[in-house]
């Protein structure tokens, strides 16, 4: 099964948080290579033939949450905001992570739009924070949702 690739729209919230030097590395080839790391766990949202969003999910990569599911990435092009694409991607990721009682995401600390989305979905901060280098240092914070069974 192949995975489609796309370029981030520069008008998205990421531009404000992440420097252009990092965004310049997000070529079609680089994005395709990243998507192919998890081909069986990548969901693609399309509008006709145009890729407008994606989500990547899988078992936890964090050593302190070994029995949890992780939404590794979820992105929607800004011109497709407010069309419930993110919710549909998240719902499908949750469906595929149904064996886990806990699901978490890492989010850029200053990405208020994404944080609001995750809060609406029931995620809460758990106090974990890391530094990432995306051209310049940025902070990411972990948000967790405990599922009722």
């Amino acid at each position: 099964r192949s995975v489609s690739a796309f370029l981030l729209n520069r008008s998205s919230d990421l531009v404000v948080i992440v420097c252009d030097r990092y965004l310049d590395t997000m070529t079609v080839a680089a994005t395709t290579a990243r998507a192919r790391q998890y081909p069986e766990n990548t969901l693609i949202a399309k509008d006709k033939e145009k890729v407008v969003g994606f989500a990547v999910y899988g078992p936890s990569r964090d050593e302190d949450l070994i029995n949890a599911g992780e939404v590794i990435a979820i992105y929607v092009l800004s011109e497709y905001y407010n069309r419930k694409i993110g919710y549909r991607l998240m719902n499908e990721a949750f469906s595929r992570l149904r064996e886990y009682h806990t699901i978490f995401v890492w989010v850029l600390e200053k990405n208020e739009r994404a944080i609001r989305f995750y809060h609406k979905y029931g995620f809460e901060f758990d106090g974990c924070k890391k530094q990432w280098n995306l051209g310049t240092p940025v902070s990411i914070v972990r948000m967790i949702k405990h599922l009722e069974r």
Side-chain angles (χ1 to χ4, degrees):
R1 198 163 133 197
S2 65
V3 177
S4 300
F6 73 97
L7 294 173
L8 285 175
N9 180 327
R10 292 224 173 213
S11 67
S12 73
D13 293 337
L14 285 179
V15 175
V16 176
I17 301 166
V18 179
C19 76
D20 282 337
R21 193 173 37 204
Y22 177 76
L23 290 176
D24 288 341
T25 69
M26 297 187 78
T27 63
V28 170
T31 306
T32 300
R34 284 187 200 108
R36 287 190 173 136
Q37 290 176 353
Y38 306 95
E40 66 282 353
N41 296 2
T42 300
L43 305 169
I44 302 293
K46 287 181 151 187
D47 180 5
K48 297 182 178 104
E49 292 304 309
K50 180 180 181 179
V51 175
V52 299
F54 76 93
V56 180
Y57 63 92
S60 171
R61 300 172 298 160
D62 289 10
E63 291 180 10
D64 64 330
L65 286 175
I66 56 172
N67 292 316
E70 180 178 2
V71 177
I72 298 164
I74 185 167
Y75 296 101
V76 175
L77 293 176
S78 60
E79 62 264 32
Y80 286 84
Y81 287 172
N82 301 315
R83 296 187 194 184
K84 304 295 183 195
I85 294 168
Y87 286 98
R88 284 184 270 178
L89 288 166
M90 185 66 87
N91 286 341
E92 186 61 27
F94 267 44
S95 173
R96 295 174 185 220
L97 293 168
R98 65 184 165 270
E99 67 191 83
Y100 299 103
H101 297 282
T102 301
I103 297 175
F104 70 94
V105 298
W106 284 96
V107 61
L108 292 166
E109 185 176 44
K110 293 184 179 179
N111 191 341
E112 294 174 10
R113 182 181 186 88
I115 290 169
R116 282 192 309 272
F117 171 78
Y118 295 132
H119 275 304
K120 287 179 186 174
Y121 227 90
F123 286 89
E124 297 295 334
F125 294 110
D126 76 343
C128 290
K129 184 175 182 175
K130 294 181 189 178
Q131 292 295 309
W132 259 9
N133 185 357
L134 299 180
T136 58
V138 295
S139 295
I140 58 172
V141 291
R142 190 167 65 187
M143 298 181 76
I144 290 186
K145 177 178 175 93
H146 298 286
L147 303 176
E148 296 180 23
R149 300 282 173 198

